[in-house]
Amino acid sequence: DRKYKRIGVDEDPLPTIEEYIHLLSQLDFYDGKQYHWSEMGLDRIDNDKPHTLDNVVPCSTAHNRQRGRRNFEEFYAKKRGLGVSPTS
């Protein structure tokens, strides 16, 4: 895919269908709740990078829309009511 070559990725980095299904069965990363698989998706941690396994978290489509292009750590802290980021 030309999009990935443009950012220096030679191979298609997308999760396999099995990995995708597994991620959709997980709890929402932001609120820890279980949603129906049809209400789940993958939110990129860094929106400038592709959907790789180390750059996505499972979340509801509602949370994905709410976050939009906002900073991942700030959105996480706000949703969880925390004053710290998930990486600290």
Side-chain angles (χ1 to χ4, degrees):
D1 185 301
R2 290 188 338 234
K3 174 182 173 184
Y4 298 120
K5 290 189 186 303
R6 194 174 62 233
I7 59 171
V9 177
D10 292 329
E11 297 179 27
D12 186 355
L14 300 176
T16 64
I17 190 68
E18 292 83 10
E19 293 166 331
Y20 186 73
I21 291 169
H22 174 74
L23 286 165
L24 294 184
S25 70
Q26 303 296 306
L27 299 177
D28 182 293
F29 182 81
Y30 297 114
D31 67 9
K33 294 180 181 176
Q34 183 73 55
Y35 292 88
H36 188 269
W37 67 267
S38 66
E39 299 175 288
M40 291 291 288
L42 301 179
D43 187 24
R44 288 178 292 162
I45 295 168
D46 182 340
N47 286 325
D48 293 325
K49 296 181 180 178
H51 288 83
T52 58
L53 288 178
D54 61 348
N55 189 45
V56 295
V57 293
C59 75
S60 68
T61 53
H63 283 142
N64 201 333
R65 281 192 305 271
Q66 287 173 4
R67 178 175 167 228
R69 301 266 318 154
R70 292 183 193 148
N71 176 279
F72 171 76
E73 293 182 352
E74 290 172 9
F75 186 76
Y76 174 84
K78 181 179 179 182
K79 281 294 170 193
R80 289 285 178 109
L82 305 172
V84 297
S85 72
T87 57
S88 58

